[in-house]
Amino acid sequence: MARLDKLIQVMQEQRAEALQLAAGKPASLMQNGSIRPITRDPLNDAQIQGLVREIASAETASQLGFADV
């Protein structure tokens, strides 16, 4: 299972409205207007790009400036 799939699964199980991925912050869920971290460590740019690459088409990855997709 892809890493992003696991985060989305947690989001669904927790009935959250959104999954938030931001560099320098842990992956978080928005639930009932509150943001709650679901990972211990903050994400860096490379980790977020890796998560997006899991679902992005080659064309989308190219538009986003991701190399080697």
Side-chain angles (χ1 to χ4, degrees):
M1 178 183 289
R3 294 173 296 161
L4 185 58
D5 287 346
K6 291 177 186 177
L7 294 173
I8 292 171
Q9 182 179 11
V10 171
M11 179 182 141
Q12 183 179 24
E13 288 169 358
Q14 298 294 317
R15 299 177 189 221
E17 293 92 34
L19 172 64
Q20 187 175 61
L21 305 173
K25 297 183 179 183
S28 301
L29 295 179
M30 180 177 287
Q31 192 172 24
N32 300 322
S34 298
I35 296 176
R36 181 175 56 90
I38 58 171
T39 60
R40 198 174 315 151
D41 297 322
L43 300 172
N44 61 41
D45 287 334
Q47 289 170 313
I48 294 171
Q49 286 182 13
L51 292 168
V52 173
R53 280 189 189 119
E54 293 177 0
I55 61 169
S57 68
E59 180 182 353
T60 300
S62 175
Q63 290 173 347
L64 292 172
F66 296 165
D68 302 324
V69 178

